[in-house]
Amino acid sequence: MKIQVVTLFPEMIAGALGFGIVGRAVERGLLSVGTEDPRKHTSDVHRTVDDRPYGGGPGMVLKPEPMLAAIRAAHERLPPGSPRIHLSAQGEPLGQAQARELAALPGFLLVAGRYEGLDERVVELGIDREVSIGDYVLSGGELPALVVIDAVARLLPGALGDERSNVEESFVAGLLDWPHYTRPELFEGLAVPPVLLSGNHADIRRWRLEQAVTRTYARRPDLIARGELGPEASRLLSEFLAARAPGTEDRG
Ligand code: ADE
């Protein structure tokens, strides 16, 4: 998997990639990440990359010439057909489905803006897709680019030390995670739930799924409303609702 990032702060990207699962994916050659600085594509003495917005108003807009030149230079280093993705609060929300889709590609380009953002003509000429990491405004696209890289890197075959981790992830597709415990058995007066010490794998699996379903119901009902639960999770949810308010499980 080859990723290129167009950014005015290449050190922010390079500096964050050496750790944990992403660091290991890079080390193992499963992933390579390069950067392209639009400042390299300026010709004035001040290496100017921004200018005042037409129509007035506060803030600055990234000048189109260096941005598009950087996008083209970085794109040439990627496999043919690699999509050019602009990180933007106006973009399509990033979810696990989008991460999976990107992880299946041979490569993609990420464009991180700063200031008020890109000149719209750069979006028209040099961007295939816009992605948002959530409904909040950040001061630049570098952290969103790193979020995308992290979500994708851990899905690359061989990136996780224990391949069961991704199998388990699909087992709870569409649900929040269950609670985790490690030693000691009693910590500051709090005990590990006895079922986890029982050695009964069927009971443990059922308890975990139940926890995942009830947590999702309580904290993120929107995830359940999307209707993406697997058959076992759906059954457990119906049982949970039936136990909570008998006879009302089909009302909503
Ligand atoms: N740039 C600024 N805010 C952003 C967001 N929420 N997602 C992606 N890129 C952004």
Side-chain angles (χ1 to χ4, degrees):
M1 153 83 51
K2 287 186 158 58
I3 301 175
Q4 289 285 322
V5 186
V6 172
T7 168
L8 289 166
F9 301 108
E11 298 88 350
M12 249 182 107
I13 303 297
L17 295 174
F19 310 95
I21 287 164
V22 179
R24 205 169 53 205
V26 172
E27 227 172 71
R28 289 182 179 170
L30 306 173
L31 170 70
S32 75
V33 182
T35 55
E36 185 71 23
D37 187 345
R39 233 176 259 286
K40 274 184 22 194
H41 298 273
T42 54
S43 43
D44 65 312
V45 284
H46 300 297
R47 317 226 99 184
T48 310
V49 290
D50 60 344
D51 204 343
R52 287 168 302 155
Y54 276 119
M60 298 290 268
V61 175
L62 288 164
K63 286 171 68 60
E65 304 90 333
M67 283 312 291
L68 194 58
I71 290 171
R72 286 176 174 155
H75 198 232
E76 277 189 11
R77 297 196 289 266
L78 289 170
S82 296
R84 299 161 297 177
I85 302 164
H86 176 214
L87 285 316
S88 160
Q90 281 68 245
E92 153 202 11
L94 175 73
Q96 194 61 19
Q98 284 72 21
R100 264 187 239 115
E101 191 191 319
L102 294 176
L105 298 173
F108 55 86
L109 174 72
L110 297 172
V111 180
R114 281 271 149 183
Y115 316 114
E116 298 308 306
L118 301 182
D119 183 301
E120 196 60 25
R121 292 162 298 182
V122 173
V123 178
E124 275 181 47
L125 295 168
I127 295 296
D128 301 304
R129 187 167 170 182
E130 296 194 286
V131 168
S132 164
I133 64 158
D135 290 335
Y136 38 82
V137 181
L138 299 167
S139 54
E142 285 77 13
L143 290 173
L146 288 167
V147 167
V148 170
I149 293 169
D150 190 291
V152 166
R154 58 185 298 289
L155 293 176
L156 298 176
L160 299 180
D162 182 349
E163 285 310 308
R164 275 176 310 173
S165 301
N166 266 330
V167 174
E168 274 181 11
E169 196 166 73
S170 59
F171 157 55
V172 286
L175 292 176
L176 300 183
D177 201 4
W178 55 67
H180 300 269
Y181 298 87
T182 187
R183 290 186 293 181
E185 224 175 285
L186 189 65
F187 178 66
E188 302 220 348
L190 299 178
V192 173
V195 62
L196 298 178
L197 311 173
S198 70
N200 184 327
H201 296 295
D203 282 359
I204 292 170
R205 185 173 189 278
R206 186 184 162 82
W207 180 85
R208 286 179 168 163
L209 200 48
E210 227 166 57
Q211 290 288 317
V213 166
T214 52
R215 272 184 162 189
T216 309
Y217 185 78
R219 301 179 189 185
R220 293 291 306 280
D222 57 302
L223 293 179
I224 288 175
R226 275 197 221 165
E228 287 168 12
L229 301 196
E232 195 173 6
S234 294
R235 189 173 46 74
L236 278 167
L237 175 64
S238 305
E239 283 174 24
F240 164 71
L241 292 175
R244 238 174 116 254
T248 63
E249 68 273 23
D250 291 329
R251 288 197 194 155

